[in-house]
Amino acid sequence: MARALIVVDVQNDFCEGGSLPVSGGARVAADVNDLLHRWHSGATDAPAYDVVVATKDHHVDPGAHWSAKPDFAESWPVHCKVGTEGAAFHPNLDPQPFDEVFYKGEHQAAYSGFEGRTSGGEALADWLRARGVEDVDVCGIATDHCVRATALDSAGEGFVTRVLTALCAGVAEETTAAALTDLAGAGVELA
């Protein structure tokens, strides 16, 4: 029985200074980086993960998902455009420990990491199952959007799912609280 960590969308555009900044995003990047390096170095206080993956918003032309007049519910400012610095991992996060990266949303809105695929086209759920993963921890940005969607889909795919709330940042208190209620109601553990 293997355990995976999914690091959701810790990208420049979702951190302070980006086009869709989430307060605390840079801190999440640094804290996740610390966890990854403790895990990678075999530190005794680090969680035991068999694989560690990341997701990235990876937009080419996502249609109505981008808008010059966004409603911040269904449409958003241009963000994580392929080939821009905004799409890159935040500099506080060293991507070297990632076993794989899953890209989502090239031509449509995509919130869940389970909508993502490797550069070779493999879906996240299939990739995890091929490695015997049964337990999944989720962290990243934003608690009330992509972390929520990823964790709900993880549970829906049958993985025992836990959200590491200290390693997440949400857009707003109210929507973050609602997301955490939704997650708990779906059987996702909040740690």
Side-chain angles (χ1 to χ4, degrees):
M1 185 166 81
R3 175 178 290 279
L5 175 67
I6 302 173
V7 178
V8 177
D9 298 358
V10 181
Q11 295 167 262
N12 287 326
D13 272 346
F14 297 136
C15 295
E16 295 84 351
S19 65
L20 258 177
V22 176
S23 180
R27 174 198 49 82
V28 165
D31 291 349
V32 170
N33 192 66
D34 179 59
L35 173 98
L36 290 174
H37 282 283
R38 286 188 292 117
W39 165 76
H40 197 255
S41 69
T44 57
D45 67 335
Y49 294 115
D50 298 286
V51 293
V52 175
V53 301
T55 69
K56 284 181 111 176
D57 248 22
H58 189 74
H59 298 310
V60 174
D61 181 8
H65 184 62
W66 282 348
S67 174
K69 295 182 180 181
D71 64 14
F72 296 94
E74 299 295 324
S75 62
W76 308 90
V78 173
H79 62 278
C80 299
K81 184 175 182 178
V82 172
T84 68
E85 190 60 30
F89 286 116
H90 189 276
N92 288 351
L93 178 65
D94 177 0
Q96 288 183 12
F98 294 135
D99 293 299
E100 191 59 81
V101 177
F102 293 83
Y103 302 93
K104 58 189 178 68
E106 285 186 359
H107 298 285
Q108 70 280 328
Y111 295 92
S112 171
F114 284 85
E115 296 175 78
R117 298 194 171 275
T118 65
S119 57
E122 191 171 8
L124 177 54
D126 296 337
W127 191 95
L128 293 171
R129 286 191 184 99
R131 285 147 186 86
V133 171
E134 294 182 15
D135 294 321
V136 170
D137 286 354
V138 181
C139 64
I141 304 170
T143 312
D144 37 354
H145 293 283
C146 296
V147 169
R148 175 189 175 275
T150 300
L152 288 173
D153 281 356
S154 176
E157 288 283 347
F159 297 104
V160 176
T161 306
R162 181 171 69 161
V163 171
L164 306 178
T165 58
L167 297 176
C168 295
V171 173
E173 280 186 42
E174 185 177 301
T175 53
T176 297
L180 295 175
T181 298
D182 289 349
L183 291 166
V188 173
E189 180 185 345
L190 306 176

